Amino acid sequence: MPNTDKIKSKPYRNWVRGALGLFHLQKGLYPFTDRIVKAEHARIVQHLPPCTYCAIENILPAHATSGKGCIQKNKGKCNCRKRTNRNCPTCSKIYDDIVQQHRFKEPHWVTDCSTWYNDHWQFAKCFLTTTTKRSNNTAADTDASGLLSIIINGEFFQSELHYSIDPYNGTDIFSQVREIRNEILHNSEQDLMDQDLTRYLQSMIAVLEDKKVLRIDPAAQAAAKKLKELLKDELIITMSEEANVIQTALEAIKAAKEQSEKSIRVLTEEIRFFTETDIALYFKNRRCKGTGSGKGDICSVRSETGSK
Ligand SMILES: [Zn+2]
Ligand SMILES: [Zn+2]
């Protein structure tokens, strides 16, 4: 809980100002993000028949029958291998459009695709990087980090931006601000130096003042104005706002922890797979040596393992 004296400490107040900046950034970005996603979604579904009953795990992507191979970066996560899945005239096509529009060809398939045809935000969720416990079911309900991920990962956003998105080098302002969000919310000390806060808030303002569309977007400009007040420390910070940013930081730290645990689980599974493969190879090796007849088998197992 906040206490009245703590906010007087400069580094802590700076941290609260930075976290509040993220709130205003979200408010400034979500109408724009929503509008661009809606237009892209309308373009994709305009000639498709309605569908309301597909489930993501049961769709056969359109590219599965194209004969040109998988278009997703991680083929192991693509539905095109599931040949008994349903070829839907709507969802199979949307599935491929999502992959093609994804900057890394690696969509986040945590989505309710029974509403893909009607709900542009379920389409948008495929461009998120991670899913938090929050529902993220509307643009207004998606935090700044989620909105930035959708803008960075959805290649259809580039034509609406003056800045070039370059997440490979992380040099563009949108990727930098997504990183800044983590630096603020994962900061367990809850303090920020003056120069860091200034850089963070100026970067958020730069995003909201992107020269193409955001610069003339009313919500983006209202948020940029609030951020400039925060920069000058002219904004009065209420106790409920302070409590809110602490709660948000807590949720962000928990989400990061869950994500790390998930990564550890995946890696542990992979290590287990390789260990089991090694054990199988060891016994096969011994068995073949014992019989004196399996030299070819040992070599074939080795070459299979080596090719993974
Ligand atoms: Zn595929
Ligand atoms: Zn369908």
PDB file of all heavy atoms in Angstrom, residues 51 54 86 88 91, ligand 2:
ATOM      1  N   CYS A  51     -18.479 -17.758 -40.050  1.00  0.00           N
ATOM      2  CA  CYS A  51     -18.260 -19.033 -39.332  1.00  0.00           C
ATOM      3  C   CYS A  51     -18.238 -18.704 -37.852  1.00  0.00           C
ATOM      4  O   CYS A  51     -17.652 -17.705 -37.443  1.00  0.00           O
ATOM      5  CB  CYS A  51     -16.950 -19.672 -39.739  1.00  0.00           C
ATOM      6  SG  CYS A  51     -16.555 -21.112 -38.682  1.00  0.00           S
ATOM      7  N   CYS A  54     -15.644 -22.865 -35.322  1.00  0.00           N
ATOM      8  CA  CYS A  54     -14.328 -23.525 -35.364  1.00  0.00           C
ATOM      9  C   CYS A  54     -13.587 -23.319 -34.039  1.00  0.00           C
ATOM     10  O   CYS A  54     -13.795 -22.333 -33.349  1.00  0.00           O
ATOM     11  CB  CYS A  54     -13.487 -22.967 -36.512  1.00  0.00           C
ATOM     12  SG  CYS A  54     -13.879 -23.727 -38.095  1.00  0.00           S
ATOM     13  N   ARG A  86     -10.222 -29.701 -39.759  1.00  0.00           N
ATOM     14  CA  ARG A  86     -11.272 -29.221 -40.652  1.00  0.00           C
ATOM     15  C   ARG A  86     -10.768 -28.109 -41.578  1.00  0.00           C
ATOM     16  O   ARG A  86     -10.136 -27.167 -41.129  1.00  0.00           O
ATOM     17  CB  ARG A  86     -12.409 -28.682 -39.785  1.00  0.00           C
ATOM     18  CG  ARG A  86     -13.575 -28.164 -40.546  1.00  0.00           C
ATOM     19  CD  ARG A  86     -14.769 -27.905 -39.623  1.00  0.00           C
ATOM     20  NE  ARG A  86     -15.912 -27.583 -40.467  1.00  0.00           N
ATOM     21  CZ  ARG A  86     -16.238 -26.344 -40.813  1.00  0.00           C
ATOM     22  NH1 ARG A  86     -15.540 -25.343 -40.364  1.00  0.00           N
ATOM     23  NH2 ARG A  86     -17.276 -26.123 -41.601  1.00  0.00           N
ATOM     24  N   CYS A  88     -11.867 -25.153 -43.171  1.00  0.00           N
ATOM     25  CA  CYS A  88     -13.008 -24.218 -43.110  1.00  0.00           C
ATOM     26  C   CYS A  88     -12.784 -23.102 -44.126  1.00  0.00           C
ATOM     27  O   CYS A  88     -11.702 -22.517 -44.168  1.00  0.00           O
ATOM     28  CB  CYS A  88     -13.115 -23.648 -41.694  1.00  0.00           C
ATOM     29  SG  CYS A  88     -14.261 -22.261 -41.567  1.00  0.00           S
ATOM     30  N   CYS A  91     -12.091 -19.872 -41.555  1.00  0.00           N
ATOM     31  CA  CYS A  91     -11.018 -19.873 -40.545  1.00  0.00           C
ATOM     32  C   CYS A  91      -9.677 -20.357 -41.107  1.00  0.00           C
ATOM     33  O   CYS A  91      -8.620 -19.884 -40.684  1.00  0.00           O
ATOM     34  CB  CYS A  91     -11.439 -20.695 -39.333  1.00  0.00           C
ATOM     35  SG  CYS A  91     -13.003 -20.113 -38.659  1.00  0.00           S
TER      36      CYS A  91
HETATM   37 ZN    ZN B   2     -14.438 -21.813 -39.276  1.00  0.00          ZN
END
